[in-house]
Protein backbone atom coordinates (compact mmCIF):
# COMPACT_ATOMS: atom_id res chain seq x y z
CA UNK A 1 0.00 0.00 0.00
CA UNK A 2 2.78 2.47 0.73
CA UNK A 3 4.14 2.15 -2.82
CA UNK A 4 0.70 2.62 -4.37
CA UNK A 5 -0.03 5.55 -2.05
CA UNK A 6 3.21 7.26 -3.06
CA UNK A 7 2.22 7.13 -6.74
CA UNK A 8 -1.17 8.64 -5.90
CA UNK A 9 0.31 11.39 -3.74
CA UNK A 10 3.00 12.22 -6.31
CA UNK A 11 0.31 12.56 -9.01
CA UNK A 12 -1.75 15.01 -6.89
CA UNK A 13 -4.84 13.59 -8.65
CA UNK A 14 -8.31 14.88 -7.79
CA UNK A 15 -9.83 11.42 -8.26
CA UNK A 16 -8.38 7.92 -8.55
CA UNK A 17 -9.97 4.70 -9.84
CA UNK A 18 -8.66 1.45 -8.37
CA UNK A 19 -9.38 -2.20 -9.09
CA UNK A 20 -8.73 -5.59 -7.44
CA UNK A 21 -9.09 -4.36 -3.87
CA UNK A 22 -9.29 -6.67 -0.85
CA UNK A 23 -11.22 -5.72 2.25
CA UNK A 24 -10.71 -7.84 5.36
CA UNK A 25 -9.81 -11.02 3.47
CA UNK A 26 -7.59 -13.87 4.59
CA UNK A 27 -4.78 -12.85 2.25
CA UNK A 28 -5.03 -9.20 3.30
CA UNK A 29 -6.77 -8.86 6.70
CA UNK A 30 -7.27 -5.11 6.42
CA UNK A 31 -9.21 -2.62 4.32
CA UNK A 32 -6.83 -1.87 1.44
CA UNK A 33 -8.79 1.15 0.18
CA UNK A 34 -9.01 2.47 3.74
CA UNK A 35 -5.24 2.13 4.10
CA UNK A 36 -4.70 4.07 0.87
CA UNK A 37 -7.17 6.76 2.00
CA UNK A 38 -5.27 7.24 5.25
CA UNK A 39 -1.92 7.43 3.47
CA UNK A 40 -3.15 9.90 0.83
CA UNK A 41 -5.62 11.98 2.84
CA UNK A 42 -8.41 11.22 0.35
CA UNK A 43 -12.01 10.02 0.74
CA UNK A 44 -12.57 6.31 -0.04
CA UNK A 45 -15.59 4.78 -1.79
CA UNK A 46 -15.58 0.99 -2.03
CA UNK A 47 -17.59 -1.09 -4.48
CA UNK A 48 -17.50 -4.76 -3.41
CA UNK A 49 -18.05 -7.16 -6.31
CA UNK A 50 -17.80 -10.50 -4.51
CA UNK A 51 -17.51 -12.15 -1.11
CA UNK A 52 -13.95 -13.47 -0.88
CA UNK A 53 -11.89 -15.26 1.79
CA UNK A 54 -14.06 -14.05 4.65
CA UNK A 55 -14.22 -10.45 3.38
CA UNK A 56 -14.95 -8.51 0.20
CA UNK A 57 -13.15 -7.97 -3.10
CA UNK A 58 -13.92 -5.29 -5.65
CA UNK A 59 -13.15 -1.83 -6.97
CA UNK A 60 -12.88 1.63 -5.48
CA UNK A 61 -12.47 5.36 -5.89
CA UNK A 62 -10.40 7.87 -3.93
CA UNK A 63 -11.32 11.57 -4.13
CA UNK A 64 -9.96 14.77 -2.63
CA UNK A 65 -13.53 16.04 -2.37
CA UNK A 66 -16.06 14.30 -0.12
CA UNK A 67 -18.52 12.40 -2.35
CA UNK A 68 -22.17 13.41 -2.43
CA UNK A 69 -23.40 9.92 -3.28
CA UNK A 70 -22.31 6.61 -4.76
CA UNK A 71 -23.79 3.43 -6.16
CA UNK A 72 -22.56 0.13 -7.56
CA UNK A 73 -23.90 -1.38 -10.78
CA UNK A 74 -23.34 -5.14 -11.31
CA UNK A 75 -21.74 -6.11 -14.63
CA UNK A 76 -21.78 -9.55 -16.28
CA UNK A 77 -18.84 -11.93 -16.07
CA UNK A 78 -19.11 -15.68 -16.49
CA UNK A 79 -16.04 -16.32 -14.31
CA UNK A 80 -16.38 -13.63 -11.59
CA UNK A 81 -18.95 -10.86 -10.93
CA UNK A 82 -17.72 -7.41 -11.95
CA UNK A 83 -18.91 -3.88 -11.18
CA UNK A 84 -19.25 -0.27 -12.21
CA UNK A 85 -18.83 2.16 -9.30
CA UNK A 86 -20.41 5.59 -9.79
CA UNK A 87 -19.31 8.38 -7.43
CA UNK A 88 -21.02 11.78 -7.47
CA UNK A 89 -18.93 14.86 -6.73
CA UNK A 90 -19.94 18.51 -6.75
CA UNK A 91 -19.23 19.23 -10.42
CA UNK A 92 -18.91 15.78 -12.00
CA UNK A 93 -19.24 12.04 -11.61
CA UNK A 94 -16.17 9.82 -11.43
CA UNK A 95 -16.48 6.10 -12.09
CA UNK A 96 -14.29 3.03 -11.70
CA UNK A 97 -14.74 -0.29 -13.47
CA UNK A 98 -13.07 -3.64 -14.08
CA UNK A 99 -14.45 -5.66 -16.98
CA UNK A 100 -14.62 -9.36 -17.69
CA UNK A 101 -11.93 -11.42 -19.39
CA UNK A 102 -14.60 -12.64 -21.84
CA UNK A 103 -15.37 -10.56 -24.94
CA UNK A 104 -19.13 -11.16 -24.96
CA UNK A 105 -19.35 -9.99 -21.34
CA UNK A 106 -17.36 -6.85 -22.12
CA UNK A 107 -19.63 -5.96 -25.03
CA UNK A 108 -22.72 -6.45 -22.86
CA UNK A 109 -21.09 -4.42 -20.09
CA UNK A 110 -20.52 -1.50 -22.45
CA UNK A 111 -24.23 -1.33 -23.16
CA UNK A 112 -24.92 -1.20 -19.42
CA UNK A 113 -22.21 1.41 -18.84
CA UNK A 114 -23.51 3.66 -21.63
CA UNK A 115 -27.07 3.36 -20.34
CA UNK A 116 -26.16 4.06 -16.71
CA UNK A 117 -23.76 6.93 -17.39
CA UNK A 118 -26.13 8.72 -19.75
CA UNK A 119 -28.45 9.46 -16.79
CA UNK A 120 -26.45 11.98 -14.66
CA UNK A 121 -26.90 15.72 -15.24
CA UNK A 122 -23.18 16.45 -14.83
CA UNK A 123 -20.03 15.50 -16.75
CA UNK A 124 -19.11 11.84 -16.26
CA UNK A 125 -15.59 10.39 -16.38
CA UNK A 126 -14.94 6.65 -16.28
CA UNK A 127 -11.57 5.00 -15.67
CA UNK A 128 -10.41 1.46 -15.15
CA UNK A 129 -9.21 -1.89 -16.37
CA UNK A 130 -11.26 -2.65 -19.47
CA UNK A 131 -9.38 -5.88 -20.28
CA UNK A 132 -9.59 -4.96 -23.96
CA UNK A 133 -7.61 -3.01 -26.54
CA UNK A 134 -8.51 0.38 -28.00
CA UNK A 135 -9.61 -1.08 -31.35
CA UNK A 136 -11.71 -3.92 -29.90
CA UNK A 137 -15.45 -4.25 -30.47
CA UNK A 138 -16.21 -3.31 -26.87
CA UNK A 139 -14.03 -0.19 -26.86
CA UNK A 140 -15.41 0.89 -30.23
CA UNK A 141 -18.89 0.59 -28.75
CA UNK A 142 -17.85 2.76 -25.80
CA UNK A 143 -16.40 5.32 -28.22
CA UNK A 144 -19.85 5.85 -29.81
CA UNK A 145 -20.90 7.78 -26.67
CA UNK A 146 -17.59 8.53 -24.94
CA UNK A 147 -14.39 10.35 -25.80
CA UNK A 148 -11.68 7.83 -24.94
CA UNK A 149 -8.66 9.89 -23.93
CA UNK A 150 -5.57 9.42 -26.13
CA UNK A 151 -2.24 8.77 -24.45
CA UNK A 152 1.10 10.34 -25.18
CA UNK A 153 4.19 8.19 -25.75
CA UNK A 154 4.07 4.45 -25.11
CA UNK A 155 0.43 3.69 -24.31
CA UNK A 156 0.86 0.07 -23.18
CA UNK A 157 -0.16 -0.67 -19.59
CA UNK A 158 0.00 -4.47 -19.18
CA UNK A 159 1.87 -6.41 -17.90
CA UNK A 160 3.51 -3.88 -15.58
CA UNK A 161 7.06 -5.19 -15.81
CA UNK A 162 7.13 -5.22 -19.63
CA UNK A 163 3.92 -3.64 -20.98
CA UNK A 164 2.73 -5.06 -24.31
CA UNK A 165 -0.97 -4.12 -24.35
CA UNK A 166 -3.05 -0.99 -23.77
CA UNK A 167 -6.06 -2.17 -21.74
CA UNK A 168 -6.49 0.62 -19.17
CA UNK A 169 -8.41 3.74 -20.19
CA UNK A 170 -10.15 6.93 -19.13
CA UNK A 171 -13.08 8.43 -21.03
CA UNK A 172 -15.67 11.23 -20.85
CA UNK A 173 -19.35 10.75 -21.67
CA UNK A 174 -20.16 13.16 -24.52
CA UNK A 175 -23.83 12.39 -25.07
CA UNK A 176 -24.84 15.24 -22.74
CA UNK A 177 -22.73 17.85 -24.52
CA UNK A 178 -19.66 17.62 -22.28
CA UNK A 179 -16.30 18.11 -23.97
CA UNK A 180 -12.77 17.32 -22.84
CA UNK A 181 -9.40 18.76 -23.73
CA UNK A 182 -6.68 16.32 -22.70
CA UNK A 183 -3.70 18.34 -21.51
CA UNK A 184 -1.66 15.19 -20.87
CA UNK A 185 -2.30 11.48 -20.44
CA UNK A 186 0.61 9.20 -19.69
CA UNK A 187 1.50 5.75 -18.45
CA UNK A 188 3.34 5.99 -15.13
CA UNK A 189 6.65 4.14 -14.86
CA UNK A 190 5.68 1.77 -12.03
CA UNK A 191 6.78 -1.80 -12.83
CA UNK A 192 6.22 -3.44 -9.42
CA UNK A 193 3.39 -1.62 -7.64
CA UNK A 194 0.68 -3.60 -9.47
CA UNK A 195 0.27 -6.01 -12.38
CA UNK A 196 -0.87 -3.02 -14.50
CA UNK A 197 0.92 0.30 -14.85
CA UNK A 198 -1.09 3.30 -13.62
CA UNK A 199 -2.30 5.95 -16.03
CA UNK A 200 -2.56 9.65 -15.18
CA UNK A 201 -4.44 12.34 -17.09
CA UNK A 202 -4.83 16.11 -16.78
CA UNK A 203 -8.11 17.02 -18.45
CA UNK A 204 -10.09 20.23 -18.93
CA UNK A 205 -13.82 19.48 -19.10
CA UNK A 206 -16.23 21.99 -20.66
CA UNK A 207 -19.86 21.81 -19.65
Amino acid sequence: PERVAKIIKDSDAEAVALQELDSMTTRHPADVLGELAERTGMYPTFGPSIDFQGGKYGIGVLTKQKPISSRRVPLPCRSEPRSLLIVELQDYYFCSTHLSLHEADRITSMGIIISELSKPNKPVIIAGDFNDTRNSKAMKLLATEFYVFPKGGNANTFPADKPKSEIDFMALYTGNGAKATVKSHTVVNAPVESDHRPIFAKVLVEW
Side-chain angles (χ1 to χ4, degrees):
E2 63 270 20
R3 293 197 297 264
V4 175
K6 184 178 187 306
I7 290 173
I8 294 170
K9 290 184 72 173
D10 288 349
S11 74
D12 197 30
E14 295 289 330
V16 183
L18 301 109
Q19 299 78 42
E20 299 189 14
L21 295 168
D22 279 18
S23 179
M24 308 307 292
T25 64
T26 301
R27 68 181 176 188
H28 197 97
D31 175 10
V32 174
L33 188 64
E35 287 185 26
L36 293 174
E38 288 182 7
R39 292 174 183 272
T40 59
M42 301 177 80
Y43 291 96
T45 304
F46 184 51
S49 298
I50 61 172
D51 295 327
F52 183 72
Q53 292 188 357
K56 302 289 185 180
Y57 173 81
I59 58 177
V61 163
L62 291 173
T63 53
K64 284 188 175 180
Q65 184 185 121
K66 186 176 181 179
I68 297 171
S69 67
S70 66
R71 65 188 179 95
R72 186 187 74 87
V73 179
L75 297 177
C77 181
R78 60 200 66 192
S79 56
E80 175 187 288
R82 302 294 172 109
S83 301
L84 167 68
L85 179 61
I86 304 172
V87 177
E88 181 185 5
L89 301 166
Q90 182 175 342
D91 297 317
Y92 65 104
Y93 286 80
F94 188 76
C95 310
S96 175
T97 196
H98 183 195
L99 300 190
S100 170
L101 294 172
H102 305 281
E103 182 182 38
D105 295 338
R106 293 193 296 270
I107 292 172
T108 302
S109 293
M110 288 307 185
I112 296 171
I113 288 170
I114 290 170
S115 175
E116 290 292 335
L117 300 189
S118 66
K119 298 173 183 178
N121 59 350
K122 302 176 185 179
V124 181
I125 293 174
I126 184 171
D129 174 6
F130 288 82
N131 270 320
D132 224 337
T133 58
R134 187 176 289 269
N135 292 321
S136 66
K137 291 180 181 179
M139 291 304 298
K140 285 182 178 179
L141 178 59
L142 184 72
T144 61
E145 296 289 341
F146 284 75
Y147 173 45
V148 182
F149 302 161
K151 296 183 181 73
N154 187 345
N156 293 338
T157 59
F158 181 82
D161 56 344
K162 295 181 180 179
K164 298 178 181 178
S165 302
E166 182 191 16
I167 60 175
D168 301 274
F169 300 95
M170 299 187 206
L172 173 79
Y173 177 67
T174 57
N176 57 11
K179 297 180 180 179
T181 301
V182 178
K183 301 292 187 178
S184 65
H185 186 195
T186 56
V187 177
V188 180
N189 181 19
V192 299
E193 286 76 2
S194 172
D195 60 334
H196 295 234
R197 293 205 176 187
I199 55 176
F200 175 62
K202 291 184 179 180
V203 183
L204 174 65
V205 177
E206 297 179 67
W207 170 249

